[in-house]
Amino acid sequence: MKMLINGEWCDAASGKVFEVRNPATGDLIEEVPFGNEDDVRAAVEAAGEAFADWSTKDPRVRSKILLFAATEVRRRNTELGTLLTTEQGKPIREAVDEINGFANILEYYHALSAREQGEYLKIRGYGHAAVQRRPLGICGAIIPWNMPAIIMGWKIGAALTAGNTMVLKPARTAPLTCIRLAEILEEAGLPPGVLNIVTGPGETVGREIARNPGIRKVSFTGEVGTGRQVAMDAAPTMKHLTLELGGSDPMIVADDADIGMAVEGVIRGRFYNCGQVCTAVKRLYLFDSIADEFIRHLKSRVEEIVVGNGLDRGVSMGPLNNRAGFMRVVTQVDTAREQDEGTIITGGRTPEGEAYKRGFFFLPTLVTDVPYDSILFSEEVFGPVLPIATVSGLDEAIDLANNSRYGLGASVWTRSADVIARATESLEAGIVWVNQHLRIPPEVPFGGMKSSGIGRENGSRALEEYTEEKTVLIRL
Ligand code: NAD
């Protein structure tokens, strides 16, 4: 596959390529251009040229192109889902869901594009004020490998609908679905240069996006440390920033919760996408009185999870996406084991058997009696491992939940209005769920507090993040 610059599918300026491999089998899928700073500069030039025309089109015309693309993406969801599973590892059902999610986001922004933007004020003594909302210009997007289609949708949906043009860098280990989606957008009528895709390493392509003076905004999704680097690289050119960073979401289960429902919440919340979701349930706090029953149910459900190649029928959890992520999870579990930080009651190792030898497989893992200061609670565990602790009540649960540098999501499971009121008021997170976790419809703002990030994606608010205000004050 090639990169997309100015409507042309091209090789990297250097002529180099890198390999994309299937994380379940190690097989080579495709070679992709190994872009560098020169490719970003060419893409910025193309995006600059496209901006004048694109930004002045009727927003409904712009978003209609996104809508056409969304329709085609839905029509081809199985083919695209298969590609996503092949490069990313998730079970095909989850991959098709993600592809439909991409379409859903574009459809949402199409619906929103008809909304009036800006406001008019008549101010005594000053006259008439028109507050216009204008697109920023060229936006950069840097995305991770865990949910490439959804995250691409979050970024292009708002940015392009608002009239910006974009240079987007997919992750090294999962660029193919993004490229295919860009192809569909082109076929739907997106003019050359409006969306450019540059593939390659973060250290060159990503950093040039953050630094390039022609880019007015960077929307980055990835780890906290990388986000910090992006912010520093973007500072000299005073870019607008959205940083969607890591999370360590707590889930609190109160003594009056529907246990069956909460157990299913953990199964999806922790083990979906092999645990590689920013808002996965990464810390479980159970009220003492229900802990034994809860853990018994949870353990038997976890042991029903079928690990394997995401393309195989009946598989409910695929491999981790890449070697570095796999090694990090193995190290975190080994460290907790060596330091006696809890009891592994299931999993804790790679599965045995020929079928698992070539992929980054790790069994779904539950660790109970985890000390509150364990690394399993303090670090983000980006894989299928759930540390569990018991708490005496809501106050203690909230204190522990908030005792983290992260503040992305959190959930509370209860039937009590009082518990809901106290928890939703006190939990420090960009999104707080009640009796659910992980679900993020495009209608609501999404983003983190504390080290989990700056700014919000999704919702009508996202259009504001991709525009800036200009006030015109008129005295007649
Ligand atoms: P990462 O930070 O390693 O990489 C993310 C992207 O940044 C990749 O495209 C990478 O090539 C690029 N990059 C790397 N170094 C760069 C640099 N110096 N300058 C610019 N770009 C650079 O993250 P990852 O491992 O791909 O993703 C996992 C992380 O992402 C987890 O921490 C997860 O919680 C987080 N995440 C957050 C959200 C959210 O919305 N908050 C969503 C998904 C994932």
Side-chain angles (χ1 to χ4, degrees):
M1 284 190 187
K2 308 266 186 191
M3 7 190 229
L4 176 64
I5 298 180
N6 204 15
E8 302 283 332
W9 294 98
C10 49
D11 294 317
S14 67
K16 292 188 195 162
V17 291
F18 65 91
E19 294 179 339
V20 181
R21 290 186 172 270
N22 183 331
T25 62
D27 292 343
L28 175 67
I29 314 169
E30 285 264 0
E31 288 182 335
V32 173
F34 190 88
N36 64 20
E37 293 86 344
D38 290 337
D39 300 294
V40 175
R41 287 181 202 120
V44 169
E45 199 181 320
E49 276 167 22
F51 179 71
D53 183 51
W54 182 249
S55 60
T56 49
K57 277 194 195 312
D58 181 334
R60 273 172 272 205
V61 172
R62 288 196 295 253
S63 72
K64 210 171 263 177
I65 297 171
L66 302 191
L67 185 66
F68 287 153
T71 308
E72 183 62 7
V73 166
R74 281 195 191 279
R75 197 184 67 74
R76 290 170 55 181
N77 62 7
T78 309
E79 167 209 328
L80 290 159
T82 304
L83 179 65
L84 180 55
T85 294
T86 311
E87 66 173 338
Q88 201 279 339
K90 64 186 70 187
I92 181 73
R93 189 174 35 83
E94 292 179 15
V96 171
D97 271 1
E98 182 174 342
I99 297 297
N100 289 337
F102 173 87
N104 189 32
I105 295 163
L106 299 197
E107 289 157 1
Y108 170 71
Y109 281 107
H110 170 70
L112 213 62
S113 65
R115 252 175 53 131
E116 290 298 319
Q117 289 211 37
E119 59 181 322
Y120 163 79
L121 302 165
K122 188 170 174 204
I123 310 168
R124 195 189 300 270
Y126 291 85
H128 306 264
V131 185
Q132 305 170 357
R133 281 217 152 264
R134 302 161 68 86
L136 296 167
I138 307 168
C139 296
I142 303 173
I143 66 178
W145 44 263
N146 65 330
M147 309 279 291
I150 286 283
I151 295 171
M152 176 173 172
W154 287 348
K155 299 199 190 305
I156 66 166
L160 302 191
T161 300
N164 302 282
T165 55
M166 185 164 255
V167 178
L168 181 143
K169 182 198 125 35
R172 281 280 290 276
T173 54
L176 305 176
T177 308
C178 295
I179 294 175
R180 194 67 83 218
L181 291 169
E183 251 172 41
I184 292 175
L185 281 152
E186 256 217 306
E187 286 160 14
L190 204 65
V194 171
L195 174 64
N196 305 275
I197 309 281
V198 182
T199 47
E203 300 73 39
T204 50
V205 173
R207 291 199 78 177
E208 179 60 23
I209 289 176
R211 288 171 165 157
N212 191 290
I215 293 183
R216 290 292 324 283
K217 175 188 171 99
V218 175
S219 179
F220 168 84
T221 301
E223 287 188 356
V224 175
T226 322
R228 201 174 284 126
Q229 177 72 56
V230 167
M232 287 192 291
D233 282 341
T237 46
M238 213 55 87
K239 290 183 175 55
H240 294 245
L241 271 182
T242 301
L243 298 175
E244 298 289 355
L245 308 178
S248 182
D249 288 13
M251 168 170 171
I252 299 170
V253 186
D255 50 4
D256 66 342
D258 177 328
I259 301 241
M261 188 173 154
V263 165
E264 289 313 308
V266 177
I267 294 297
R268 186 179 152 79
R270 174 70 279 199
F271 300 104
Y272 185 83
N273 200 18
C274 198
Q276 303 162 113
V277 183
C278 51
T279 51
V281 173
K282 295 186 184 131
R283 298 178 284 147
L284 180 61
Y285 298 113
L286 302 173
F287 279 29
D288 281 327
S289 55
I290 51 134
D292 289 346
E293 184 192 350
F294 192 97
I295 290 168
R296 216 173 29 253
H297 279 248
L298 180 60
K299 180 171 181 287
S300 73
R301 277 293 286 119
V302 165
E303 286 170 352
E304 285 168 18
I305 292 174
V306 180
V307 180
N309 184 330
L311 290 180
D312 291 345
R313 187 187 286 271
V315 163
S316 43
M317 197 181 88
L320 288 132
N321 171 260
N322 55 72
R323 181 172 304 281
F326 171 78
M327 288 312 300
R328 196 176 316 159
V329 170
V330 169
T331 306
Q332 286 169 321
V333 171
D334 284 350
T335 306
R337 191 187 275 118
E338 279 155 23
Q339 296 179 356
D340 240 349
E341 294 180 349
T343 309
I344 296 172
I345 59 165
T346 187
R349 59 178 175 81
T350 54
E352 282 157 10
E354 208 44 47
Y356 301 111
K357 288 238 164 74
R358 293 169 64 219
F360 304 121
F361 294 101
F362 199 83
L363 286 172
T365 300
L366 297 176
V367 193
T368 54
D369 301 316
V370 177
Y372 298 150
D373 58 355
S374 163
I375 61 149
L376 296 180
F377 281 135
S378 60
E379 291 184 2
E380 179 182 31
V381 181
F382 215 56
V385 178
L386 183 63
I388 305 170
T390 58
V391 291
S392 56
L394 188 62
D395 289 339
E396 188 183 22
I398 290 172
D399 280 352
L400 290 168
N402 287 343
N403 183 21
S404 168
R405 69 175 175 145
Y406 297 108
L408 196 55
S411 67
V412 62
W413 299 69
T414 179
R415 294 183 175 98
S416 152
D418 177 54
V419 171
I420 293 172
R422 283 161 61 207
T424 54
E425 172 67 25
S426 310
L427 285 168
E428 294 165 358
I431 181 164
V432 178
W433 290 278
V434 178
N435 296 327
Q436 54 181 321
H437 201 114
L438 204 71
R439 307 173 76 207
I440 306 166
E443 287 81 357
V444 294
F446 173 68
M449 292 180 178
K450 304 194 278 188
S451 286
S452 289
I454 298 172
R456 294 291 178 267
E457 297 197 289
N458 275 0
S460 54
R461 168 79 199 284
L463 291 177
E464 291 172 21
E465 298 236 355
Y466 282 97
T467 50
E468 59 192 343
E469 289 173 325
K470 180 194 262 188
T471 300
V472 178
L473 205 50
I474 305 166
R475 194 168 69 178
L476 293 172

